[in-house]
Amino acid sequence: MDETEITGDDGREATRLTGHVHKLVEDDAGHSRGYGFIHVGDGTGDVVEYFVHRKGFGDPLKFDALRVGDRVTFEPRNTAKGLRAVLVERV
């Protein structure tokens, strides 16, 4: 799993992961529903899936430019609803 230590806005160390866009969810008409999933592998075949919402990009236009397979970096969050990717950036 690719990890990079950075300093967050609050001055604390924050981990950024690198993964790839696995799926972008669309409605029946082919329009983006505004969310998808990022996969991060550890090199052993195990994959961890993170939910990503267009709000995780700050700028919705950056989400709209994403394609399946794009490499991204993000900060992982463990929420009550599961693993989420926030502060996502395309590499």
Side-chain angles (χ1 to χ4, degrees):
M1 195 174 318
D2 294 340
E3 293 185 17
T4 305
E5 293 293 326
I6 63 166
T7 302
D9 292 338
D10 59 3
R12 296 183 314 173
E13 290 286 313
T15 299
R16 288 191 67 83
L17 299 179
T18 300
H20 73 276
V21 178
H22 176 70
K23 182 176 184 178
L24 297 170
V25 179
E26 298 178 340
D27 63 18
D28 292 337
H31 299 105
S32 172
R33 303 237 2 228
Y35 67 94
F37 299 91
I38 296 172
H39 279 185
V40 176
D42 64 4
T44 66
D46 292 334
V47 174
V48 179
E49 184 171 79
Y50 291 83
F51 173 85
V52 61
H53 190 273
R54 72 178 336 118
K55 290 179 184 177
F57 283 79
D59 179 355
L61 295 176
K62 290 182 180 179
F63 179 86
D64 294 340
L66 270 187
R67 299 293 173 252
V68 171
D70 284 352
R71 284 179 49 86
V72 292
T73 64
F74 63 93
E75 287 188 22
R77 296 286 188 268
N78 194 358
T79 71
K81 292 184 176 182
L83 298 174
R84 281 192 101 121
V86 298
L87 302 176
V88 181
E89 296 179 4
R90 191 165 61 174
V91 179

